[in-house]
């Protein structure tokens, strides 16, 4: 058997080209040859979609301790304090690195302009208008594309991690040596090897019918790590963003938290009859529209179900038109194109899945349970978010853990062994799929029952129904996967289903309500906060 070509061997492979993956790549490229894999185009992940901004203590009246406390309060006591301190104390230097890369953050009188979002006690969100993620992604991609030590490949779909057992002469170890990936443009599966592998593959939002996540957020990294033998924790904590635009033609358009931060009010629409125009958040929380996301999402869900509505209204039309246009230019233009002038009328909104707080369990260097494997960003569970992510802490986590994981890898690179000779992907016993409709049908079914049974409000009975459906589908998809050649859709379906299984198993284990997990059968929180840890 021939040795693998240099084109398939790198020092580090990164699965994912968003904020976490590219941050790690740029640090690693100081001394390492890095391959970055993107499932679609390089800018198709969640980073580009992030409207709000990045949280950091930069204001004279703010303190690390205040940001730590706000994060812990939002996380309902489930955060790991050492992680929270680590991330928040490294936030200012993460912002400075982005400024050095050319990210054009908004300024006011020579200083960074800071906005405020729900759950924050101070103005501490740096932003680029209302399209921060796009500006960050653009700057990171530019820097990575100009770096000779970074190779980036689009349309590469990770299938499974390469482990010791995939070696030509396996020795029974647990190490990870790279990834088998499908080139979805040219066809064919490649075995890509490296001394270290980083999963920066994003979240699992597309497990749900309504989601603000991009099409590719199918839990790939989480499912791959689970199959390889990593523990997964706190998967029941799915964050639902309270305010996604309700429009039958436009899916997944988020109305940023900052609209409420700058004075937006939630009201009942005309369909509410005599209650039309009523501001309802005072009945749910003294922090009103600036309560943490789980509380606002449940309040909206409650009103929608109570009155049989399709949506509620978010109204910022009482602010000066120039202020609204200046602060939210992207949202203003997009809504105007749909016939909604947010300076004069309210915006119809509905909650939608927004962020995966659980994931692959990692330490402060992003290390997983398996030697050579790291996980960073939304696919990981670092302890930062706990039972509910505080607004604008997500991009921050990507930058801090992208840096820390890269530095840990660099500290070990010179002494790390080279990958063993790996067996190529075996397609000798499979044929081309005969019924693509099977994949589409199962995909739709999973997203619908997850929304109905394991959504914003859950019960034991609903979750049992979801578990029964998943059991049948796992058998069906496993059989299908074993008989047919892999395609992007089949890989995503397999991962989506496994992620749904992990969410339901985690949710059924938690016999309380905490943060994002609300079970109507157990409405109170336990006295002691405990992680839900699943072991393969």
């Amino acid at each position: 058997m021939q040795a693998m070509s240099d084109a398939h061997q790198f020092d580090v492979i990164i699965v994912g080209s968003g904020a976490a993956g590219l941050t790690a790549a740029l640090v690693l490229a100081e001394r390492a040859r890095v391959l970055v894999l993107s499932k679609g185009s390089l800018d198709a992940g969640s980073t580009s979609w992030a409207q709000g901004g990045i949280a950091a203590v930069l204001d004279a009246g703010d303190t690390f301790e205040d940001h730590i406390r706000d994060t812990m309060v939002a996380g309902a006591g489930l955060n790991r304090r050492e992680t929270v301190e680590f991330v928040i104390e490294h936030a200012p230097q993460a912002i400075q690195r982005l400024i050095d890369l050319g990210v054009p953050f908004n300024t006011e009188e020579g200083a960074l302009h800071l906005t405020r979002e729900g759950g924050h006690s101070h103005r501490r969100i740096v932003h680029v208008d209302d399209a921060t993620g796009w500006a960050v992604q653009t700057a990171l991609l530019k820097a990575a594309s100009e770096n000779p030590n970074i190779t980036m490949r689009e349309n590469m779909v990770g299938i499974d991690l390469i482990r010791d057992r995939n070696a030509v002469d396996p020795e029974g170890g647990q190490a990870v040596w790279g990834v088998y990936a499908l080139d979805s443009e040219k066809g064919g599966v490649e075995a890509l090897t490296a001394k270290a592998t980083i999963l920066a593959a994003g979240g699992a939002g597309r497990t749900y019918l309504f989601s603000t996540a991009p099409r590719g957020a199918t839990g790939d990294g989480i499912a791959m790590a689970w199959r390889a033998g990593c523990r997964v924790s706190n998967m029941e904590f799915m964050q639902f963003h309270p305010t996604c635009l309700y429009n039958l033609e436009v899916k997944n358009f988020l109305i940023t938290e900052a609209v409420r931060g700058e004075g937006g009010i939630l009201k009942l629409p005309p369909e509410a009859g005599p209650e039309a125009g009523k501001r309802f958040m005072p009945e749910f929380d003294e922090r009103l529209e600036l309560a943490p996301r789980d509380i606002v999402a449940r309040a909206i869900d409650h009103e929608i179900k109570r009155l049989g509505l399709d949506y509620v209204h978010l109204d910022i039309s009482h602010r000066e038109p120039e202020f609204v246009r200046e602060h939210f230019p992207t949202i203003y233009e997009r809504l105007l194109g749909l016939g909604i002038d947010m300076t004069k009328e309210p915006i119809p909104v509905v909650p939608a899945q927004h962020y995966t707080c659980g994931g692959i369990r990692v330490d402060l260097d992003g290390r997983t349970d398996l030697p050579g494997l790291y996980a960073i960003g939304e696919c990981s569970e670092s302890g930062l978010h706990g039972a509910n992510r505080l607004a604008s802490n997500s991009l921050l986590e990507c930058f801090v853990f992208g840096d820390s994981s890269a530095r840990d890898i660099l500290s070990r690179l010179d002494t790390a062994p080279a990958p063993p000779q790996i067996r190529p992907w075996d397609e000798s016993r499979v044929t081309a799929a005969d019924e693509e409709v099977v994949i589409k049908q199962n995909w739709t079914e999973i997203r619908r029952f997850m929304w109905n049974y394991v959504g914003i409000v859950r019960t034991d009975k609903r979750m049992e129904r979801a578990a029964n459906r998943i059991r049948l589908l796992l058998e069906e998809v496993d059989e299908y996967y074993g008989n047919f050649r892999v395609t992007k859709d089949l890989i995503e379906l397999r991962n989506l289903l496994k992620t749904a299984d992990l969410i339901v198993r985690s949710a059924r284990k938690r016999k309380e309500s905490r943060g994002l997990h609300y079970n109507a059968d157990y409405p109170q929180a336990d006295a002691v906060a405990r992680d839900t840890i699943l072991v393969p």
Side-chain angles (χ1 to χ4, degrees), residues 49-124:
W49 295 40
Q51 293 175 346
I54 307 158
V57 174
L58 299 163
D59 187 50
D62 200 2
T63 65
F64 285 149
E65 194 51 49
D66 285 343
H67 191 179
I68 289 165
R69 186 187 65 247
D70 292 345
T71 300
M72 302 282 284
V73 168
L78 207 63
N79 324 65
R80 298 201 277 287
R81 187 176 174 97
E82 63 168 351
T83 306
V84 178
E85 291 174 354
F86 175 73
V87 172
I88 285 165
E89 287 167 9
H90 283 85
Q93 65 201 63
I95 301 297
Q96 187 57 53
R97 279 202 306 272
L98 293 170
I99 292 171
D100 295 342
L101 281 174
V103 177
F105 290 118
N106 288 34
T107 56
E108 192 172 62
E109 297 176 5
L112 287 169
H113 179 266
L114 304 174
T115 190
R116 185 179 168 193
E117 294 182 351
H120 289 275
S121 56
H122 294 270
R123 286 183 170 266
R124 63 166 72 101

Side-chain angles (χ1 to χ4, degrees), residues 4 10 12 27 56 64 73 142 149 159 164 172 200 212 222 227 229 256 284 294 322 372 419 427 433-434 464 475:
M4 215 163 280
F10 295 84
V12 186
V27 176
F64 285 149
V73 168
K142 182 176 185 292
N149 275 346
I159 305 171
D164 274 326
T212 64
I222 296 167
R227 288 193 294 268
T256 174
F284 293 91
D294 59 319
E322 191 54 41
E427 284 195 332
D434 59 349
E464 183 186 348
E475 291 177 17

Side-chain angles (χ1 to χ4, degrees), residues 25 55 63 104 107 121 124 143 156 205-206 213 220 302 375 436 486 511 520:
T63 65
T107 56
S121 56
R124 63 166 72 101
M156 296 296 292
R206 303 303 282 188
D220 304 328
H302 179 273
E436 290 291 326
V486 291
K511 303 298 185 184

Side-chain angles (χ1 to χ4, degrees), residues 2-13 33 35 161-171 174-180 191-197 371-373 409 412-423:
Q2 287 186 319
M4 215 163 280
S5 71
D6 284 348
H8 292 79
Q9 285 185 326
F10 295 84
D11 292 319
V12 186
I13 292 172
R33 288 178 63 237
L35 173 64
L161 294 166
I162 293 173
R163 292 169 284 169
D164 274 326
R165 73 182 200 187
N166 301 117
V168 173
D169 297 308
E171 296 181 1
Q174 292 291 311
V176 170
W177 298 108
V179 63
Y180 289 112
L192 303 165
T193 59
K195 292 180 176 181
T197 303
L373 181 66
I409 291 169
R412 303 160 185 267
L413 199 61
D414 294 338
T415 56
Q421 195 172 3
I422 299 297
R423 294 195 305 272

Side-chain angles (χ1 to χ4, degrees), residues 149-315:
N149 275 346
I150 298 174
T151 301
M152 295 190 286
R153 293 185 62 185
E154 295 183 318
N155 303 306
M156 296 296 292
V157 188
I159 305 171
D160 270 319
L161 294 166
I162 293 173
R163 292 169 284 169
D164 274 326
R165 73 182 200 187
N166 301 117
V168 173
D169 297 308
E171 296 181 1
Q174 292 291 311
V176 170
W177 298 108
V179 63
Y180 289 112
L182 169 71
D183 184 331
S184 62
E185 288 271 284
K186 299 175 183 173
V189 176
E190 300 176 25
L192 303 165
T193 59
K195 292 180 176 181
T197 303
I198 300 178
L199 292 172
R206 303 303 282 188
T207 322
Y208 285 87
L209 186 60
F210 299 106
S211 174
T212 64
R215 165 70 173 71
T218 49
D220 304 328
I222 296 167
M224 287 163 66
W226 173 264
R227 288 193 294 268
C230 289
R231 289 175 302 160
V232 164
S233 53
N234 295 344
M235 286 297 293
E236 66 271 38
F237 297 114
M238 278 288 180
Q239 186 175 80
F240 291 82
H241 197 288
T243 54
C244 184
L245 174 68
Y246 178 81
N247 185 292
L248 298 179
E249 302 301 314
V250 179
K251 306 291 185 191
N252 315 333
F253 187 64
L254 183 68
I255 307 300
T256 174
E257 193 99 10
V259 172
R260 283 178 284 128
E262 297 295 350
I265 293 170
L266 288 164
K267 298 177 177 177
L268 295 175
E271 292 82 352
E275 294 185 65
K278 174 185 166 188
R279 184 182 189 180
F280 56 86
M281 279 310 298
E283 297 176 16
F284 293 91
D285 197 282
E286 61 187 13
R287 291 165 290 187
L288 307 173
E289 282 79 9
L290 288 179
R293 288 175 175 175
D294 59 319
I295 293 169
V296 180
R298 273 201 303 276
I300 295 172
D301 183 67
H302 179 273
E303 294 300 283
I304 284 173
K305 286 176 176 163
R306 180 176 72 87
L307 295 165
L309 305 171
D310 289 322
Y311 58 86
V312 298
H313 273 155
L314 175 61
D315 193 1

Side-chain angles (χ1 to χ4, degrees), residues 388-504:
N388 184 14
R389 175 177 70 86
L390 183 64
S392 290
N393 270 355
S394 50
L395 283 176
L396 175 60
E397 181 184 35
C398 293
F399 304 129
V400 173
F401 275 89
D403 181 77
S404 70
S405 61
R407 295 193 187 285
D408 188 70
I409 291 169
L410 288 175
S411 73
R412 303 160 185 267
L413 199 61
D414 294 338
T415 56
Q421 195 172 3
I422 299 297
R423 294 195 305 272
W425 184 257
D426 182 8
E427 284 195 332
S428 62
R429 296 185 299 278
V430 294
T431 59
D434 59 349
E435 289 272 325
E436 290 291 326
V437 69
V438 173
I439 295 174
K440 288 186 173 59
Q441 164 63 28
N442 286 345
W443 177 291
T444 304
E445 184 178 349
I446 293 163
R447 295 178 66 207
R448 190 170 292 281
F449 72 63
M450 288 297 289
W451 180 262
N452 289 334
Y453 296 154
V454 203
I456 295 171
V457 175
R458 302 159 181 178
T459 65
D460 281 355
K461 191 69 181 169
R462 288 178 195 169
M463 291 190 290
E464 183 186 348
R465 288 190 179 116
N468 290 337
R469 290 300 308 138
I470 287 170
R471 200 172 303 119
L472 293 171
L473 286 169
L474 281 169
E475 291 177 17
E476 192 174 309
V477 171
D478 277 351
E479 182 190 4
Y480 196 93
Y481 182 82
N483 289 325
F484 297 112
R485 199 164 288 132
V486 291
T487 63
K488 181 181 178 183
D489 286 348
L490 177 55
I491 293 164
E492 288 187 325
L493 174 66
R494 182 186 183 220
N495 291 335
L496 192 84
L497 181 57
K498 176 43 67 180
T499 307
D501 179 41
L502 295 172
I503 293 167
V504 173

